[in-house]
């Protein structure tokens, strides 16, 4: 069942009924006032002005049938409770995005059905599955009923924040389960659990977290969670511990063919919502590259970018933890205010760096693939691929690339991504990316910074 109008393919699970899936109590009066005002949390800084511009553009995009942010329905029509609607409006959500509008009615209808959902980065997948978890709970039962897993600590923390924001007008309880977030032997009684697979598996095994009442199991970044050895094994182990045959919900911006097959076994008879391959690349992100003569020239070019351009916030991706540390050390020695984050750091260090970056205490974050997925910081307008992401065989990892650049250009915003090339191999790999996504990656000079600045100003 494909819908030629908006480019989203909808495949209903075999057992899906023909009937409309929801009968909402249509409430013509929004529960709370829509939110342009709400966003003005700070004084009259530049931040507000840019937020305002974004709001205007956002409305345009949400009215454009070709935009992934388009919807014909309101949140009221999606059948959510008044308390959840209030939470959504307080967060500044006025209208659902396309994936929310399409997925939510299927996700919250009864009997519960599995879902495999795919849409571009920054189009609001989180709210789709968080609202589903919040809707599925029996409020009188004080035990875990929903488990959501994410591939990194940082993403799990971000999702639990969304859960808590959205549910703040309800009595729903939630708990983050990542390394060091629980006291030893502390029993987990919260209704919604968000965590990383290793820690969640461990606390279930130790019987700290009862799973008898779990009725929904969500994997964010599902292709990643089901693919690689570690995460995949653990997600499967956890699923096998959930004896109450929960609804299984998988979301990602990417589902490469080999994972999709497995996903359909992991979530049998799922409703599927997916985008055409060519719609995956986000056109709000301008993709550029700079041609450097050597590794050292590449480093100098990186510093020049920050000396000469005024970017709000940016993320630099490198291939290894030690290269992230090394670049951060050199940039700091030259007076740049930067942070670095990778998997070898202690949990509390990682939390501190992430919190500081979110609060804008430093503007440049140097990291590895650990932050390539899911992180949502609207102020990030530039992503730099200092090294291109490669898979274990040394080939370009197209999915990782798409997720990395998707850290900018979120929910209707524009962004820039730059690949720094320093040899023939990396140049060829850049060309492969161009071909794979059928999108031009434009050359920017490394010796004409006025031209570079002009290109930037036009985009951001
Ligand atoms: P995805 O998981 O699809 O990459 P996210 O769920 O992280 O995207 O959402 C991207 C951003 O869009 C977030 O900052 C989120 O708060 C915002 N957002 C999501 N849905 C809406 C909506 N309906 N209205 C306004 N903003 C939204
Ligand atoms: Mg996401």
């Amino acid at each position: 069942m494909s819908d030629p109008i908006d480019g989203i393919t909808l495949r209903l699970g075999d057992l899906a009924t023909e009937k409309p899936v929801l009968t909402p109590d249509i409430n013509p009066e929004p529960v709370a006032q829509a939110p342009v005002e709400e966003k003005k949390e700070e004084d009259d800084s530049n931040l507000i002005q840019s937020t305002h511009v974004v709001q205007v553009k956002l409305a345009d995009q949400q009215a454009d049938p070709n935009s992934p942010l388009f919807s014909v329905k309101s949140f009221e029509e999606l059948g959510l409770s008044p308390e959840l609607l209030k939470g959504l409006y307080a967060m500044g959500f006025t209208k659902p995005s396309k994936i929310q509008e399409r997925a939510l009615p299927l996700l919250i209808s009864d009997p519960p059905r599995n879902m495999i959902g795919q849409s571009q980065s920054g189009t609001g997948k989180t709210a789709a599955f968080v609202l589903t978890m919040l809707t599925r709970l029996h409020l009188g039962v004080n035990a875990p009923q929903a488990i959501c897993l994410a591939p990194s600590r940082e993403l799990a923390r971000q999702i639990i924040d969304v859960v808590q924001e959205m549910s703040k007008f309800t009595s729903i309880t939630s708990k983050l389960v990542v390394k060091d977030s629980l006291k030893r032997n502390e029993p987990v009684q919260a209704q919604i659990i968000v965590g990383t697979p290793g820690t969640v598996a461990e606390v279930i095994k130790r019987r700290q977290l009862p799973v008898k009442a779990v009725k929904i199991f969500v994997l964010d970044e599902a292709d990643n969670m089901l693919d690689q050895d570690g995460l995949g094994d653990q997600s499967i182990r956890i699923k096998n511990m959930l004896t109450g045959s929960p609804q299984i919900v998988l979301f990602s911006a990417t589902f490469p063919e080999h994972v999709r097959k497995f996903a359909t076994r992991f979530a049998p008879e799922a409703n599927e919502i997916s985008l055409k391959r060519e719609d995956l690349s986000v056109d709000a992100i301008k993709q550029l590259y700079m041609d450097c003569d050597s590794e050292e020239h590449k480093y100098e070019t990186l510093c020049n970018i920050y000396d000469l351009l005024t970017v709000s916030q940016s993320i630099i991706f490198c291939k290894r933890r030690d290269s992230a540390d090394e670049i951060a050390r050199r940039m700091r020695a030259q007076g740049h205010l930067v942070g670095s984050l990778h998997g070898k750091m202690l949990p509390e260090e990682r939390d501190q760096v992430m919190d500081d970056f979110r609060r804008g205490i430093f503007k440049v974050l140097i990291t590895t693939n650990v932050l390539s997925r899911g992180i949502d910081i609207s102020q990030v307008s530039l992503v730099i691929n200092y090294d291109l992401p490669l898979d274990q065989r040394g080939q370009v990892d197209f999915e990782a690339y798409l997720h990395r650049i998707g850290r900018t250009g979120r929910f209707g915003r524009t962004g820039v991504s730059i690949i720094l090339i320093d040899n023939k191999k990396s140049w060829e790999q850049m060309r492969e990316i161009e071909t794979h996504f059928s999108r031009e990656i434009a050359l920017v000079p490394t010796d004409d910074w006025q031209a570079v600045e002009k290109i930037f100003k036009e985009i951001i």
Side-chain angles (χ1 to χ4, degrees), residues 58 62 75 91-97 99-100 119-127 158 220-221 374 376 378 407 410-411 413:
L58 187 56
Q62 292 205 283
F75 279 116
M91 287 173 81
F93 290 21
T94 43
K95 249 180 117 195
S97 64
I99 186 76
Q100 291 162 1
S119 83
Q120 286 153 311
S121 56
T123 55
K125 293 184 287 296
T126 317
Q158 178 180 297
D220 192 16
E221 308 297 342
D376 177 64
S378 57
R407 293 319 98 221
R410 309 210 37 93
F411 213 82
R413 292 178 177 80

